[in-house]
Amino acid sequence: MSRLTLFYRLILRPLFREPLRTALTVLAVALGVAVVLAIDLAGNAAAGSFRSSIETLMGDSDLEVTATGGLPDAVVGTLATLPYAIRVRPRIQDFVTVVATGQTVPLIAIDLIGESADQQIITVASGEEALKYPGNLDGVWLGSSLNAKAGSTIRLLINDHVRDYTVRGVFDDSAEGGAIVVMDIAVAQNELGRTGRVDSVLLKVPDSPPLAEWQSRLSGALPAGAMVRPVGSRTSENQRMLAAFRWNLRVLSYVALLVGGFLIYNTISVSVVRRRPEIGIVRALGASRRSVLAAFLAEAACFGFAGAVLGCALGRVLATGALKLLSATVQALYVSSRPGAIELTPASLVIALLIGVGMSVIAALPPASEAARVSPMEAMSRGQREYATRVHQGRDMLIALGLAAGGIICAVPPAIAGKPLFGYLSAILLIAASALAIPAVADGLLHTSAHGLQKIIGVEGLLASRSLIGSLRRTSVLVGALSTAIAMMTSVGIMVGSFRQTVTTWMNDQLQADLYLRPAGNPASDQHPTIPNELADQLAKLPGVAGLDRFRAYEFSYEGLPATLGAADFHAVQPFRKSAFLSGRSASDVYSDLQGNDAVVVSEPFAHKHHLRRGDSITLPLGDRRVPFHIVDVSYDYASEAGYVVMDRATLLQYLPDPDPSNLAIYVAPGFDLETVRAEVQKTIAGHDILIFSNRNLRAEAIRIFDRTFVITYALEAISIVVAVMGIAGALLALVVDRRREFGLLRFLGAATSQIRKLILVEAGLIGLLANLVGFVLGLALSFILIYVINKQSFGWTIQFHWPAAILVSSLAGVFLATILAGLYPARIAIRLNPIEVVHEE
Amino acid sequence: MNSATGRVPLTPVGQNHPVASLDRVSKEYRSAGQPVRAVDGVSLEIFPGSFVALVGRSGCGKSTLLNLAGAMDFPTSGEVRLDGVATSSLDDAGLTRLRREKVGFIFQSFQLLPTLSVIENVELPLLLAGAPGAREAAKLRLDWVELESYAARLPHQLSGGQMQRVAIARALVHEPKLLLADEPTGNLDTVTGNLILALLRRIATEQNTAILMATHSSEAAALSDVVVHMRDGRIEQILQH
Ligand SMILES: Nc1ncnc2c1ncn2[C@@H]1O[C@H](COP(=O)(O)OP(=O)(O)OP(=O)(O)O)[C@@H](O)[C@H]1O
Ligand SMILES: [Mg+2]
């Protein structure tokens, strides 16, 4: 018999007879593939977007000079007068908010006079006249996607002030990945309050000597604090910073695929068991073991291929949603970005197909090789109709214990190259251990509970638990699929819940001021617009203001990774404040160490990334100098993954003399009414666009951002659960077909249709219950791995374990309910069977 | 036989009401668009304690008739009464209730549930009906078919004859008035089959249970009180012993 005929008879034809179940299996694979693809595409788009927003206007420059807090104008002069044929272009990069739309847009300031003389200005104005030397430097040039007309005015929020700017010109920004506002550099210095400084200088150097040589040559000619780096370093820094985040998200996205794998395993097992007689016949007719194996693997490959094709389309759709969620997270936690375009490349399609087909074939290997081992005699003998495949409970349980032990051991070693590889291995081993332990657990629990179930639920309880034991393999695989999804939901739920609680506690301890002020505009962790210091002075003198903390932040780069440099004055430190430091020392102790010294506190993620500890010393680039600092302590901090380095305000002012703070914290004096003081503050800041947050507002805002960050993980969890429940529905359909004779018989024995329905729903419910139990235990174990290994090694955050009880209970109950609902349609099919017809089928 | 009415009193007419009565019952199937009369105008009354054998060629409608008599199916025309209740007056739930109380089934292929133990199989009809004392009643029945020591076994650990005895115990556990048997000896050797038939005979006599049995075996027919010959869905001849 030709392989093709064999494949058609044995595999394809039966699939078309059960279109719904076939469709459910394909859809399960499709969702798994779609999630992986969507996360990948969205991740690329979210990370790729730095390139468009920040490297815009880089032109064909080779090197970039930057310094923390900006470069003095003089550096531009120094560079321009060096005896080399280099082209020098100063830049200021910041963000403005378009008042009309609330949209935050990059502001890029260039030397319009210098660069138009240079004839290089075209880099911005693809073909437009707009950026030619305009004669009038005031005003702004806008990207076309902002939909403004030249000659009109646009209202922009810059730092704490809103002003109308004349639109001098509009240029095509379609190649830039989004809207940009361009300004003359001198105007921008004025508007941003950064007189005498630029953010960076772009250099174009001759081809020889090599870039590295130019880098060191120019570094030598510049102040110590200035960094000379190849253009694009910032982008790769940002991408490196995002790597851990993306990596973890990607791992999470594979869970749905794993659940899909369980379902393929089950589908192929059902095929094999049902077709044992046919296998025997074709084997007797001379088909080889290998062709039987090949036939069933081909079945899996068909599911995989169909699923992957569908998954690619679905993934592209999901990617749009995922990108929205991702870019919000990236914006809140990492760096201002605009989502780039989602690019569905042939490579990503091919990878998606390979993943879909590969996963399916691997999942099908055990049942397919079992089919190949069927001897011609065995399969043709009677009594093989039951789904009674051998399950080696005891042996599997032993292996499970071994794997679990391995999983625990793997939780110990440190990260490899910043990636918690052993942590992942540990999670995989634990998942495998639970999958192998399920038959023994299910068998034990069902056996001991059968009579109890009969008492509580009635005879359906007994029948259901007996038939689940009777087809232990199928039961185990379904429980395995659903419990994996539940474990993921539980573990991530516990991790996020613990994280949330930790952050809340930390904020309660650390946010002690009554009012917080920052310039209006959308918050982003890498944007630090400022408030005039004179205004802060005025506020400090208001009646009822007991203390005022000024916080100033700069973005800087430390050993190839971006971070935030901050300075605070700690006049109003509360003595009762809990320690925020790893050492456990009191805040006032630590602050007195900071005062008057070149000393800093670094945040936990920063210390983690750069392997720093209390007592170490780090050299920070500050303005034009490089200054060694002593680390007096490491602080718990959950505000930014990039990390903070914080020093006393007076210390920072010595190196970066700009006194304008980015944030203010006001402490209301005892005996004064908060609302009265707030009204006073409001009056004082009139004319400035500054937001006031009460302590409660600020925390709520922070928690809102936190919650938004994890929406995508919830979405991933939900999809895994959907895949698992779909699989259960499909498996129950198969079960109804396989057990139709039993259902017919029960009708003969006096069962009402409602009892048949109840039986199937109870079976579904028991699968749900078992999966909840196993999933919860596994999830708890995985949550420890997530909190103490994977998260710690990826991000460096210390998270206190916490039970998000309400969420856990409700989501477990929800999954349980969904499983029962998954039984409704199969139950309907079972009820519609004609008992007379099915009972005599052999 | 009163061929004018087709009504056949199968047992001494007297104070007894029939357990099952079929009045000009027909059942029509559609197969491949063509109507097939599986049962065609059959009238029959079965009284308590009578052992009725249905014989006839394969396809003559025996099983169909059994299912009609057992309230598993509605006739296309005519009326089936079980213990005086017309099946056509009932909905599906009503039929189920009627079946639970009045009817027991045994089959050629025994039809035990493989995942339930022997005793659990036997008590199943009572459990499904939600009747109390299921375990005790099941034990008594098992005792009666002399299989009490097999109570904890699973069906696949029994011989064919033992399985059929378990099935009989199961069919009788709720003390039905009518026992329907579709070729109960068809899968058994002659000796074992005869044991089963003797058991059925005893049931009819000792328990006053009416038995309607479809069979191909002449031994089986010989043991019964009445033999109903069927052909093409109709009653061809009725022989009383
Ligand atoms: N569901 C059905 N659909 C269509 N035709 C049917 C159906 N069930 C039975 N028949 C037809 O009705 C007729 C009677 O069938 P039935 O099963 O009652 O015969 P039987 O006497 O029990 O045969 P056997 O001795 O082989 O068991 C047959 O011609 C059969 O093909
Ligand atoms: Mg028949």
Side-chain angles (χ1 to χ4, degrees), chain A residues 466 745 750 755 836 839, chain B residues 67 92 99-100 111 120 128:
Chain A
R466 282 300 155 75
L745 175 67
Q755 287 176 304
I836 298 171
V839 85
Chain B
N67 290 329
D92 191 68
R99 202 156 56 228
R100 277 178 181 172
Q111 306 278 19
E120 284 167 343
L128 286 170

Side-chain angles (χ1 to χ4, degrees), chain B residues 71-132:
Chain B
M72 281 303 296
D73 210 351
F74 292 109
T76 316
S77 68
E79 193 177 71
V80 176
R81 288 177 171 272
L82 264 180
D83 210 18
V85 182
T87 57
S88 53
S89 68
L90 299 172
D91 58 0
D92 191 68
L95 277 190
T96 302
R97 233 173 294 125
L98 193 64
R99 202 156 56 228
R100 277 178 181 172
E101 285 175 24
K102 316 285 184 197
V103 192
F105 283 95
I106 57 178
F107 308 90
Q108 179 175 354
S109 49
F110 323 133
Q111 306 278 19
L112 299 180
L113 286 178
T115 55
L116 296 187
S117 68
V118 163
I119 187 86
E120 284 167 343
N121 262 290
V122 174
E123 67 185 350
L124 192 55
L126 289 175
L127 295 178
L128 286 170

Side-chain angles (χ1 to χ4, degrees), chain A residues 145-167:
Chain A
S145 62
L146 283 172
N147 292 326
K149 282 212 177 66
S152 64
T153 60
I154 186 165
R155 183 165 289 196
L156 299 175
L157 168 67
I158 297 180
N159 275 345
D160 65 337
H161 51 262
V162 168
R163 257 170 229 162
D164 288 327
Y165 296 85
T166 308
V167 180

Side-chain angles (χ1 to χ4, degrees), chain A residues 736-818:
Chain A
V736 166
V737 173
D738 292 348
R739 294 212 343 246
R740 56 188 184 276
R741 200 168 62 116
E742 177 191 330
F743 298 137
L745 175 67
L746 287 173
R747 299 278 285 133
F748 270 92
L749 297 182
T753 47
S754 59
Q755 287 176 304
I756 304 288
R757 180 193 296 121
K758 189 169 160 195
L759 171 57
I760 291 169
L761 296 186
V762 169
E763 284 192 31
L766 284 178
I767 291 174
L769 219 53
L770 280 172
N772 262 334
L773 191 78
V774 175
F776 179 75
V777 173
L778 176 62
L780 186 61
L782 290 182
S783 75
F784 286 121
I785 303 286
L786 275 178
I787 291 176
Y788 299 114
V789 183
I790 293 180
N791 184 69
K792 184 80 183 123
Q793 293 183 2
S794 298
F795 305 110
W797 274 309
T798 297
I799 297 176
Q800 310 295 328
F801 189 89
H802 171 81
W803 288 105
I807 293 179
L808 276 186
V809 169
S810 55
S811 42
L812 290 178
V815 174
F816 177 59
L817 208 67

Side-chain angles (χ1 to χ4, degrees), chain B residues 158-222:
Chain B
L158 302 181
S159 71
Q162 288 168 333
M163 282 199 240
Q164 195 61 299
R165 270 148 70 201
V166 173
I168 289 172
R170 183 178 67 184
L172 294 178
V173 73
H174 54 304
E175 300 182 350
K177 293 194 168 173
L178 178 64
L179 178 62
L180 297 168
D182 199 345
E183 293 179 42
T185 58
N187 278 359
L188 300 172
D189 62 76
T190 323
V191 179
T192 319
N194 286 343
L195 282 172
I196 295 295
L197 289 172
L199 191 60
L200 291 177
R201 180 68 262 178
R202 253 179 75 202
I203 291 165
T205 320
E206 291 178 14
Q207 320 233 332
N208 208 27
T209 306
I211 300 181
L212 183 59
M213 170 180 71
T215 184
H216 286 287
S217 116
S218 45
E219 281 108 330

Side-chain angles (χ1 to χ4, degrees), chain A residues 567-813:
Chain A
D569 47 7
F570 304 103
H571 304 133
V573 169
Q574 308 284 312
F576 53 81
R577 194 193 269 191
K578 276 204 201 131
S579 174
F581 303 98
L582 264 62
S583 67
R585 289 200 302 159
S586 77
S588 40
D589 281 359
V590 174
Y591 296 146
S592 68
D593 281 358
L594 286 178
Q595 269 155 30
N597 296 317
D598 281 344
V600 291
V601 167
V602 298
S603 73
E604 199 182 13
F606 187 88
H608 168 81
K609 268 192 201 53
H610 301 289
H611 311 287
L612 294 169
R613 268 182 300 178
R614 180 176 169 222
D616 288 351
S617 111
I618 58 172
T619 302
L620 298 174
L622 290 177
D624 52 8
R625 298 174 55 186
R626 294 177 63 78
V627 189
F629 277 83
H630 177 69
I631 298 177
V632 298
D633 221 319
V634 177
S635 63
Y636 292 112
D637 180 286
Y638 305 93
S640 134
E641 201 234 298
Y644 272 97
V645 175
V646 177
M647 62 186 75
D648 186 46
R649 179 170 162 83
T651 313
L652 185 67
L653 286 176
Q654 284 173 21
Y655 302 103
L656 299 172
D658 181 353
D660 292 348
S662 334
N663 304 68
L664 299 175
I666 292 176
Y667 297 83
V668 172
F672 280 83
D673 174 45
L674 175 64
E675 284 314 309
T676 324
V677 177
R678 186 185 178 125
E680 282 298 312
V681 170
Q682 195 86 59
K683 228 183 283 167
T684 314
I685 62 173
H688 297 268
D689 262 272
I690 293 175
L691 300 178
I692 306 180
F693 295 88
S694 70
N695 190 307
R696 187 140 46 93
N697 288 155
L698 190 74
R699 288 185 210 179
E701 164 89 355
I703 284 296
R704 197 181 59 76
I705 291 172
F706 180 90
D707 287 341
R708 196 178 56 189
T709 306
F710 286 99
V711 168
I712 190 147
T713 47
Y714 293 133
L716 288 179
E717 285 171 26
I719 291 176
S720 301
I721 298 279
V722 166
V723 171
V725 170
M726 268 178 9
I728 299 229
L732 288 173
L733 275 176
L735 175 142
V736 166
V737 173
D738 292 348
R739 294 212 343 246
R740 56 188 184 276
R741 200 168 62 116
E742 177 191 330
F743 298 137
L745 175 67
L746 287 173
R747 299 278 285 133
F748 270 92
L749 297 182
T753 47
S754 59
Q755 287 176 304
I756 304 288
R757 180 193 296 121
K758 189 169 160 195
L759 171 57
I760 291 169
L761 296 186
V762 169
E763 284 192 31
L766 284 178
I767 291 174
L769 219 53
L770 280 172
N772 262 334
L773 191 78
V774 175
F776 179 75
V777 173
L778 176 62
L780 186 61
L782 290 182
S783 75
F784 286 121
I785 303 286
L786 275 178
I787 291 176
Y788 299 114
V789 183
I790 293 180
N791 184 69
K792 184 80 183 123
Q793 293 183 2
S794 298
F795 305 110
W797 274 309
T798 297
I799 297 176
Q800 310 295 328
F801 189 89
H802 171 81
W803 288 105
I807 293 179
L808 276 186
V809 169
S810 55
S811 42
L812 290 178

